[in-house]
Amino acid sequence: MNDQNTTHFGFRQVPEGDKAKLVRSVFDSVAGKYDLMNDLMSMGVHRIWKRIAIQLSNVRHGDKVLDLAGGTGDMTKLYRERVGDSGQVVLSDINAAMLNQGRSRLLDEGVVGGVRFVQIDAEKIPFPDNTFDCVCIAFGLRNVTHKEAALASMYRVLKPGGRLIVLEFSHPPEGPFKKVYDAYSFKLLPALGKMIANDAESYRYLAESIRMHPDQEKLKAMMETVGFERCEYFNLTHGVVAIHRGYKF
């Protein structure tokens, strides 16, 4: 098996065709505890990261937004508040279990009108060209097998003047903070996953997938390669998370 036919799943090399299935098994396992684990893992700070991403999206009343890998719907809910009754948000995820969690949560919270639910592979977005004012993918891009294909698909469905927002774990600079972060990721995080979700392996994969994801500058360059302009990124929490933004003109 040569390198052209393999990709990474965490630190393991696997056949490209197997990665989506392996990722799906991870999120099938954690879907029921996903929101609780997010709060515990980040001590609630993920809610601040997401609100900053919403602000940077510049989404306005009446806009149409695609929330890729939207999972349990917290970004969709925030976008729905901004676009109002004249706008629309599409909550999408490749994983049916996560999408069902998102649909149930939003319906329970009274978010009914102005939201569509669609199971989507980010590499093959099934919408016409120039459909959305904003495409957002939060904590999902690192799980995509062919990131360049996904970014190109996002670019295609954006309207001219539209924005891409990528909120993702990233790479803190070398130093004392990174050492503490690494210890937390590879020791405490799997233990927390075992205790709360009875699944240490899925959270070990999470830590590994973050390390294999392109760093801030590489992801910026990937966005530029597929056509995005005025690309920039904003480091949060010492670079543990970064928000990338690019425009289609």
Side-chain angles (χ1 to χ4, degrees), residues 14 57 127 129 137 186 213 227:
V14 299
S57 74
F127 289 104
D129 296 359
I137 183 165
F186 290 107
H213 186 65

Side-chain angles (χ1 to χ4, degrees), residues 119-136:
Q119 191 169 356
I120 286 178
D121 179 347
E123 296 181 26
K124 303 170 185 176
I125 300 173
F127 289 104
D129 296 359
N130 308 319
T131 297
F132 295 97
D133 299 285
C134 179
V135 173
C136 169

Side-chain angles (χ1 to χ4, degrees), residues 102-115:
R103 181 190 291 110
S104 296
R105 176 186 174 188
L106 292 180
L107 291 174
D108 287 346
E109 295 180 2
V111 182
V112 181
V115 177

Side-chain angles (χ1 to χ4, degrees), residues 11 32 43 61 100 103 111 119 140 155-156 161 171 176 181 193-194 202 211 215 221 237 246-247:
F11 290 160
M43 295 176 284
H61 196 83
N100 286 335
R103 181 190 291 110
V111 182
Q119 191 169 356
Y155 181 87
R156 180 186 63 78
H171 296 260
Y181 177 57
K194 176 66 176 176
S202 291
R211 299 326 187 271
D215 66 20
T237 315
Y247 295 82

Side-chain angles (χ1 to χ4, degrees), residues 7 25 31-32 38 64 95 107 147 199 209:
T7 189
S25 70
N38 278 349
K64 191 169 184 178
N95 183 276
L107 291 174
K147 295 177 178 58
D199 187 350
S209 69

Side-chain angles (χ1 to χ4, degrees), residues 167-217:
L167 170 62
E168 188 55 270
F169 291 109
S170 200
H171 296 260
E174 294 293 334
F177 177 82
K178 186 176 184 299
K179 292 179 181 178
V180 173
Y181 177 57
D182 285 344
Y184 165 78
S185 298
F186 290 107
K187 294 180 180 178
L188 184 58
L189 189 55
L192 195 62
K194 176 66 176 176
M195 182 174 62
I196 302 299
N198 195 30
D199 187 350
E201 285 303 313
S202 291
Y203 287 93
R204 187 170 291 110
Y205 161 74
L206 170 63
E208 293 176 357
S209 69
I210 292 167
R211 299 326 187 271
M212 299 302 292
H213 186 65
D215 66 20
Q216 290 90 327
E217 285 292 334

